[in-house]
Amino acid sequence: MILQDPSLGSGARPIRRPENGPGQQSRSSGSWFLSVGTGTAFPQYDRGEIVNDRTGAIEPISGDINFAVNSTVSVGYRWFDPDRWGHWSFDADFFGSYLGGGISSPAGSSQDNLGFLGIRGRVGYRVFHDRIEPFLGIIGGSVLANSESAGVDHGSVWGWWFSPTTGVRYYIPNTRWSIAFDAFFRFIGGINGLSAPGVTINETPHAGLSGHFLYEPVGILSIGYRF
């Protein structure tokens, strides 16, 4: 609001009154949010190795799990202010995920379980009356992997992971709820030292073998709430 002091004449400089007077609240620049989701992943295991602990012999291995259940939960803060950034939004969150997949065959069953912890950052741009928001981001952290096959538990080991992420979010009108689809392409490293009787199973080979990451295309459908 602009006021002018009449005692200063017509050429006086206007006096600007603060927009947020007594009893008025300033606009928050964002809000905390919670999101939970579920989806599927397709883990691929390229050219790892099995080391015979008695003879030292090394045998390359690979694997392909056609379907694995993946669940997620995240909590974070989303900067979401039309007055400062227009249609842009930014968020950072703590991210947790569980992935489990198994294969059954006449020779026995196998089960792989991976738990992910990480920190994620994303940037989005809202369109269609601010209801639809495509976004891009990056995420990474630590992973705990456990593997079992033919009734033998290979133990648990820690590794690390990172992933680019993209997707789209839909804000349900007149509510604090949103629905999102996230797509990840996770790269996982350091999953070494799983054991079976007399052998060690490594994701990252040595002794001249050409090894790669364990990698996973992942799709997640999630629902979120802004507090």
Side-chain angles (χ1 to χ4, degrees):
M1 182 180 294
I2 306 293
L3 299 179
Q4 184 169 319
D5 188 344
S7 65
L8 299 179
S10 60
R13 200 165 70 186
I15 303 171
R16 182 173 296 274
R17 177 179 294 174
E19 295 293 337
N20 296 322
Q24 291 180 302
Q25 295 182 351
S26 60
R27 180 195 295 270
S28 173
S29 63
S31 59
W32 291 94
F33 68 89
L34 173 68
S35 176
V36 294
T38 187
T40 186
F42 305 91
Q44 310 287 317
Y45 190 66
D46 262 0
R47 294 191 294 276
E49 67 179 15
I50 297 177
V51 181
N52 188 312
D53 295 333
R54 291 185 293 271
T55 66
I58 298 174
E59 177 185 353
I61 59 171
S62 61
D64 183 356
I65 300 177
N66 293 325
F67 175 83
V69 175
N70 201 136
S71 58
T72 65
V73 61
S74 67
V75 59
Y77 194 86
R78 180 167 299 132
W79 289 266
F80 185 98
D81 189 343
D83 292 340
R84 297 178 63 184
W85 300 300
H87 295 275
W88 292 96
S89 71
F90 309 87
D91 63 62
D93 61 336
F94 294 98
F95 178 90
S97 176
Y98 164 77
L99 181 146
I103 299 175
S104 295
S105 67
S109 63
S110 65
Q111 178 73 30
D112 294 303
N113 301 287
L114 293 93
F116 299 88
L117 294 174
I119 297 177
R120 173 172 58 181
R122 293 176 294 188
V123 57
Y125 189 82
R126 303 184 305 281
V127 296
F128 191 66
H129 306 291
D130 286 349
R131 294 181 184 177
I132 297 176
E133 183 179 52
F135 55 81
L136 293 170
I138 189 73
I139 182 172
S142 59
V143 57
L144 178 63
N146 172 266
S147 180
E148 179 268 331
S149 62
V152 177
D153 188 346
H154 302 307
S156 300
V157 294
W158 284 96
W160 51 266
W161 70 285
F162 70 92
S163 174
T165 178
T166 185
V168 62
R169 184 180 298 109
Y170 175 72
Y171 293 99
I172 300 174
N174 304 316
T175 74
R176 293 180 176 270
W177 296 93
S178 62
I179 300 172
F181 175 78
D182 289 82
F184 301 87
F185 198 93
R186 282 197 289 231
F187 297 91
I188 307 171
I191 306 298
N192 303 315
L194 295 170
S195 62
V199 300
T200 299
I201 305 170
N202 295 325
E203 178 209 23
T204 305
H206 60 282
L209 295 178
S210 177
H212 297 271
F213 295 106
L214 172 68
Y215 55 93
E216 298 173 344
V218 183
I220 297 292
L221 185 65
S222 61
I223 184 168
Y225 182 81
R226 290 182 294 120
F227 296 95

